[in-house]
Amino acid sequence: MNRPTWPENGAAMLTRMGSAFTVRNGELYLDNQSVTTLVRQIGTPCYLYSQDALQQRLAALREALPADIALHYAVKANPHEALLAFFKDHV
């Protein structure tokens, strides 16, 4: 099976965005895991999330808001069990 390769400008775009995705040798990675390998294990369609990226963005949000602001996660936004578990422990 041929795997798609990411163009160099795609890698630069991901870097500028501060993404948890990286490109190595034309292959897409998420948190140092090959997306190709993940998709083979999980199947498609699928959504891939970076726990590190979620933690970083949540920390940035907390830092930007006054300390007395409570954060809540809207289950309706995405009821995926792993995301709910993450936000239960972090929000």
Side-chain angles (χ1 to χ4, degrees), residues 11-12 20 30 35 37 54 57 66:
L30 173 64
V35 170
T37 301
L54 289 172
R57 290 183 180 136

Side-chain angles (χ1 to χ4, degrees), residues 20-33:
F21 288 96
T22 57
V23 177
R24 286 187 236 144
N25 298 320
E27 186 171 352
L28 187 62
Y29 283 77
L30 173 64
D31 288 343
N32 295 314
Q33 297 182 57

Side-chain angles (χ1 to χ4, degrees), residues 28-46:
L28 187 62
Y29 283 77
L30 173 64
D31 288 343
N32 295 314
Q33 297 182 57
S34 163
V35 170
T36 301
T37 301
L38 291 171
V39 166
R40 284 186 184 136
Q41 292 171 351
I42 299 167
T44 60
C46 67

Side-chain angles (χ1 to χ4, degrees), residues 2-89:
N2 292 335
R3 64 179 169 82
T5 58
W6 279 72
E8 289 303 316
N9 64 343
M13 181 186 71
L14 291 172
T15 301
R16 282 194 309 275
M17 291 171 37
S19 177
F21 288 96
T22 57
V23 177
R24 286 187 236 144
N25 298 320
E27 186 171 352
L28 187 62
Y29 283 77
L30 173 64
D31 288 343
N32 295 314
Q33 297 182 57
S34 163
V35 170
T36 301
T37 301
L38 291 171
V39 166
R40 284 186 184 136
Q41 292 171 351
I42 299 167
T44 60
C46 67
Y47 291 95
L48 301 174
Y49 296 91
S50 165
Q51 185 170 329
D52 290 341
L54 289 172
Q55 288 173 329
Q56 290 170 8
R57 290 183 180 136
L58 186 56
L61 181 60
R62 286 189 189 282
E63 188 177 316
L65 295 172
D68 61 338
I69 298 292
L71 297 178
H72 302 275
Y73 180 74
V75 175
K76 190 175 180 181
N78 187 333
H80 190 275
E81 194 172 313
L83 280 175
L84 295 178
F86 171 83
F87 283 114
K88 176 181 174 262
D89 293 338

